[in-house]
Amino acid sequence: MKKDIDYGHVEICIDKYLQKHKISKNKLEEKANIGRSQLLNYCNNKAQRIDLAVISRICYALNCSLEDIVIYVPPKVNEDSHN
């Protein structure tokens, strides 16, 4: 039986960015033209599908780059999984 492969995961860090730069969610909602529930899903890493147009509007509204709000977290290295 094959083991599941851990490829790592992607995290959306909009909430951390907003806190760090003292920007309210209300202001971001307005500037990026997105709904509150959609923004909360992104902020809480509960978005099931990432809409690149929405992410683009968020980057534009925050005047930031993609790397400021989306990060790739590599898998944890497991000594048993050397190939």
Side-chain angles (χ1 to χ4, degrees):
M1 176 184 254
K2 274 189 170 182
K3 288 185 178 180
D4 289 335
I5 299 173
D6 182 3
Y7 294 104
H9 63 279
V10 172
E11 286 185 13
I12 301 172
C13 308
I14 295 170
D15 206 36
K16 291 177 187 175
Y17 188 91
L18 294 176
Q19 290 173 5
K20 181 179 178 182
H21 295 278
K22 296 178 174 49
I23 300 169
S24 73
K25 288 182 178 89
N26 290 336
K27 186 172 184 174
L28 178 56
E29 277 180 63
E30 184 180 313
K31 288 180 79 175
N33 192 28
I34 59 175
R36 183 64 160 197
S37 62
Q38 186 176 30
L39 177 58
L40 290 176
N41 282 334
Y42 281 96
C43 287
N44 296 324
N45 267 305
K46 296 195 185 228
Q48 300 213 352
R49 292 199 169 109
I50 305 304
D51 185 333
L52 296 178
V54 171
I55 293 293
S56 296
R57 291 196 314 262
I58 290 171
C59 287
Y60 178 83
L62 295 175
N63 193 29
C64 70
S65 65
L66 183 63
E67 296 84 13
D68 293 326
I69 61 169
V70 178
I71 60 168
Y72 168 69
V73 178
K76 292 183 178 175
V77 176
N78 183 348
E79 292 181 21
D80 295 337
S81 64
H82 285 55
N83 289 343

